[in-house]
Amino acid sequence: MPSSTPSFGEVEYWNTRFTKEEQFDWLADFAVLEPWLKKAITEKSGHDERPQVLHIGCGSSALSTQLRDLVDSPQQIHNVDYSSVVIERNRQRESEMLRTMASEIEPCRWSTLDLLSASQILDVENFGDEYDVIIDKSTSDAISCAEDVAVDLPYCINTTNTNRSPAQKQEMIYPLHILAIHLAYLARPNCLWIVLSYSSSRFSSWEDATPPGSPKLDQIWEMHRHEKIEQPPDPEDNVHRPPTMHHLYILKRTDVVLNRVI
């Protein structure tokens, strides 16, 4: 029998989905997230610099557009997704929206990015991008459903040396752990990684699950906050239902420096 689990780790799944899907928001509405996002961005706002916001797995969510109201300039927002289909469509829709406005308004930044690809993460880092806030609306959930990633241990971002040393070995790593390491390369110290998840244990047991030779996840990201978030009921739904609970995690990047070349 064919598997009933979507192939969340396959780009073909997402490109096919976004070819048909016009707009979809995972989990809670913007109204639920807005106070947390606004607080984080405001706290990161300095006198001289504007906080840089990385929105991972933006998909077809309305959040990409709604974030514009929380920053001084849309150029502070970098929306990225695994699917080139949805990125190109979002970029085109934003361009059409801006043409209808009388004043000159900057666009957001849009990029196709495989968050589990070391070479693509290195490309972003080499471009000089560092982020103060990372927004993750169930992207960690989707990535957690992907297949484990084969990496060489000790593991660090490295594209200049493709020859495996005798001390290295290859091991399969849980994809969420690779995501956490890769985001740490792009995050400034004290960057806030804000995650909305359906799981009450999305980031549990990091210490036990980190293999030797891989960065210790609890040393590069500190669990700053974990809150249960109730999704407001649909006012048009007349059926009494138990409240839908999601989980908000706020992780803070430490000042531990990660190696780039072995």
Side-chain angles (χ1 to χ4, degrees), residues 44 130-132 184 187-192 252-256:
K44 294 296 179 181
E130 286 188 312
Y131 301 95
D132 303 286
R188 290 192 177 103
N190 297 317
C191 169
L192 298 178
K252 181 180 287 189
R253 178 69 169 95
T254 68
D255 58 3
V256 172

Side-chain angles (χ1 to χ4, degrees), residues 151-205:
V151 301
D152 289 336
L153 298 178
Y155 181 72
C156 68
I157 296 288
N158 176 24
T159 59
T160 60
N161 178 15
T162 58
N163 296 319
R164 187 181 304 171
S165 70
Q168 286 182 300
K169 64 176 182 177
Q170 194 169 75
E171 188 163 334
M172 304 301 291
I173 306 295
Y174 185 43
L176 182 60
H177 296 169
I178 297 297
L179 174 66
I181 295 168
H182 286 179
L183 291 181
Y185 277 99
L186 303 180
R188 290 192 177 103
N190 297 317
C191 169
L192 298 178
W193 177 11
I194 302 174
V195 181
L196 185 66
S197 171
Y198 64 77
S199 173
S200 62
S201 57
R202 179 56 64 217
F203 298 98
S204 63
S205 304

Side-chain angles (χ1 to χ4, degrees), residues 4 8 14-15 36 59 104 116 124 161 166-167 197 206 222-223 225 237 243:
S4 60
F8 286 158
W14 295 106
N15 282 337
W36 300 95
E104 292 290 331
L116 301 183
V124 175
N161 178 15
S197 171
W206 271 20
E222 295 177 350
M223 182 58 67
R225 193 158 189 165
D237 187 354

Side-chain angles (χ1 to χ4, degrees), residues 101-136:
M101 298 180 177
S103 58
E104 292 290 331
I105 301 178
E106 294 177 315
C108 296
R109 298 161 60 200
W110 303 90
S111 298
T112 303
L113 179 64
D114 179 358
L115 293 163
L116 301 183
S117 166
S119 61
Q120 291 190 33
I121 293 295
L122 185 64
D123 286 342
V124 175
E125 187 189 38
N126 286 342
F127 193 70
D129 287 328
E130 286 188 312
Y131 301 95
D132 303 286
V133 178
I134 298 172
I135 299 173
D136 173 350

Side-chain angles (χ1 to χ4, degrees), residues 40-109:
I41 293 172
T42 300
E43 286 179 354
K44 294 296 179 181
S45 297
H47 297 291
D48 300 320
E49 294 188 11
R50 295 170 173 176
Q52 299 301 304
V53 179
L54 178 64
H55 178 201
I56 64 173
C58 62
S60 60
S61 170
L63 181 59
S64 299
T65 300
Q66 293 161 334
L67 287 174
R68 297 170 66 96
D69 295 332
L70 303 183
V71 294
D72 295 325
S73 167
Q75 283 285 293
Q76 294 171 245
I77 303 169
H78 193 178
N79 298 296
V80 302
D81 198 273
Y82 195 16
S83 168
S84 60
V85 170
V86 79
I87 287 295
E88 290 307 315
R89 189 176 68 197
N90 288 346
R91 184 185 286 118
Q92 181 178 0
R93 286 181 175 177
E94 183 190 52
S95 178
E96 293 170 354
M97 178 187 73
L98 295 180
R99 280 199 297 268
T100 64
M101 298 180 177
S103 58
E104 292 290 331
I105 301 178
E106 294 177 315
C108 296
R109 298 161 60 200

Side-chain angles (χ1 to χ4, degrees), residues 27-45:
L27 307 183
D29 299 329
F30 179 63
V32 174
L33 271 179
E34 182 180 14
W36 300 95
L37 301 180
K38 187 174 183 178
K39 183 175 185 292
I41 293 172
T42 300
E43 286 179 354
K44 294 296 179 181
S45 297

